[in-house]
Amino acid sequence: MTVTERADAARQWRAFFADPEYPRLVGGILTEQRTRAELAALDTAVELSPGTRVLDLGCGQGRLSVPLAARGCEVVGLDGSAALLAHARAAADAAGVRIEFVHADMRDLAHADRFDVVLNMGTAFGYAPESDHQPTLAAVRRALRPGGTLLLDTENRDRMVRADRRISFDRAGTTVECDRSYDPYTGRWHEVLRWRHDGRTHRAEYSLRLYTVAELVAALRSVGFTEVDAWGDLAGTPYELDSPRTVLRARAAG
């Protein structure tokens, strides 16, 4: 990736998540039903109890941070989008829970040996330039106490690369037209979305580095993770090429 391409990738993901329309549209995907299902799955995927120190890495609007804090977990929510963190803080205030929210890039995670669990959910990994990804995983490893657990939930690359390149779908009563492409040289998936709302035409785009399971497992092991499990969903279903998700659970070396 050239310097220009790196800057473009960073610009795109920042603009994508800062778009005022983003929370409304993503609400059609990250529904309350999905959030409840994910929280239930977390209860079996990782050890969560009152006092568990949790980092919600790429916390967005706080949809997982807030209910986990309400359960008694000690939660830190980190995100690179100031706009989404404003929503998260409002949600925490409304729920009456205390959460430490941090505005920073994932690669700049400065904590060491602090957390029992790090959650990276809902495809929050891969938007940044690829050179940031290995340092990010290394920072996550440092942030976990020995024996702590990372749960990473992202797109299934093997399924995505065979998906239709032009689709349309409904989000919050709005029809979104989406053009998608995949660059096998860089491994990046690119989407351009267009829709009309309140009499205006909107456009957004982003690119995402799609990793195979083998690439992610190797990257995790290279920075000090052991016992890496690969699933096709948060329920722990064995991973297959057509699995809906790629979910990795990795233990920090002791």
Side-chain angles (χ1 to χ4, degrees), residues 126-185:
Y127 291 98
E130 184 166 359
S131 58
D132 290 354
H133 296 161
Q134 194 78 1
T136 295
L137 295 178
V140 170
R141 170 59 192 91
R142 290 192 299 271
L144 280 164
R145 63 169 179 78
T149 303
L150 165 66
L151 192 68
L152 190 156
D153 160 47
T154 189
E155 301 287 353
N156 177 356
R157 178 263 183 200
D158 295 310
R159 180 171 177 263
M160 289 283 285
V161 296
R162 291 178 283 123
D164 292 338
R165 292 300 187 256
R166 174 168 290 184
I167 62 171
S168 63
F169 50 86
D170 179 81
R171 289 289 181 268
T174 299
T175 298
V176 180
E177 303 290 340
C178 182
D179 291 315
R180 313 189 293 185
S181 61
Y182 176 71
D183 184 344
Y185 181 75

Side-chain angles (χ1 to χ4, degrees), residues 35-49:
T35 299
R36 287 194 298 269
E38 290 183 354
L39 289 167
L42 289 178
D43 286 336
T44 57
V46 294
E47 297 178 6
L48 294 171
S49 59

Side-chain angles (χ1 to χ4, degrees), residues 64-86:
L64 297 177
S65 295
V66 171
L68 289 175
R71 293 183 181 187
C73 296
E74 298 179 13
V75 181
V76 173
L78 183 147
D79 204 278
S81 170
L84 294 184
L85 284 175

Side-chain angles (χ1 to χ4, degrees), residues 11-53:
R11 174 187 56 78
Q12 285 175 1
W13 77 257
R14 291 181 189 281
F16 181 70
F17 291 112
D19 192 315
E21 286 274 286
Y22 175 82
R24 185 181 71 86
L25 293 178
V26 80
I29 305 172
L30 304 178
T31 62
E32 291 185 9
Q33 181 181 6
R34 174 172 169 171
T35 299
R36 287 194 298 269
E38 290 183 354
L39 289 167
L42 289 178
D43 286 336
T44 57
V46 294
E47 297 178 6
L48 294 171
S49 59
T52 300
R53 295 167 296 176

